[in-house]
Amino acid sequence: MQSISQFMIEDHSKCDQLYADGEALLLKGSVEAGRNKLNLFVAETQQHFDREEKVLFPAFEQATGMTQGPTMVMRAEHTQMNAVMDQIQESLQQGDTDTALAAGETLLLLMQQHNMKEEGMLYPMTDQHLGR
């Protein structure tokens, strides 16, 4: 059986690839295809956040008693990333690919830092405490 860490890391990779594909399409001038791919990226990323916030984090908090620790930080970072994803989608709806790509650069930095924290600390702690 796959561990929580393995499943969640694979989900990060899937989301990362969707973003990269959408960005590449925009850079090639395929605006409609790029917008569609980035909309899929946003939907998949928000689904990932939901899995964490509605299932994984509450289970971790219940098992450890830590409610003001890493899960609180991850939720705040999700909020921050959601705001940038909203900016990307709004820019694309207005046909402003330059602003969407610039916001994407910010999002990539936020995601890389966020994923490193989850993959390096939170997910292993979750595996340990939830026994999966």
Side-chain angles (χ1 to χ4, degrees):
M1 179 161 76
Q2 191 176 43
S3 71
I4 294 168
S5 290
Q6 290 168 323
F7 177 83
M8 297 306 283
I9 289 168
E10 285 176 14
D11 208 37
H12 279 170
S13 294
K14 178 178 74 171
C15 292
D16 291 348
Q17 189 60 54
L18 286 170
Y19 180 82
D21 292 346
E23 180 185 55
L25 288 164
L26 288 181
L27 290 170
K28 287 196 293 190
S30 300
V31 177
E32 185 65 27
R35 179 181 20 230
N36 291 339
K37 189 65 77 167
L38 288 174
N39 285 337
L40 180 58
F41 156 76
V42 169
E44 291 291 326
T45 300
Q46 288 173 336
Q47 183 178 48
H48 176 86
F49 291 168
D50 282 349
R51 281 187 199 106
E52 290 178 333
E53 293 181 11
K54 294 177 181 175
V55 179
L56 186 63
F57 294 173
F60 175 82
E61 291 166 348
Q62 185 173 6
T64 64
M66 286 190 265
T67 59
Q68 300 298 312
T71 55
M72 184 179 75
V73 173
M74 296 301 106
R75 283 184 180 99
E77 291 179 3
H78 289 172
T79 299
Q80 186 179 21
M81 287 184 284
N82 275 322
V84 178
M85 288 188 290
D86 288 346
Q87 182 183 9
I88 291 168
Q89 287 186 305
E90 288 170 16
S91 297
L92 290 173
Q93 286 174 353
Q94 296 169 2
D96 186 355
T97 56
D98 289 340
T99 299
L101 289 167
E105 300 259 338
T106 300
L107 182 62
L108 285 176
L109 290 172
L110 294 172
M111 284 178 14
Q112 288 170 348
Q113 293 171 357
H114 179 82
N115 291 354
M116 283 179 21
K117 291 175 203 172
E118 286 185 336
E119 294 173 10
M121 182 185 68
L122 183 60
Y123 295 162
M125 288 172 66
T126 301
D127 285 340
Q128 179 185 16
H129 289 283
L130 298 178
R132 298 184 181 117

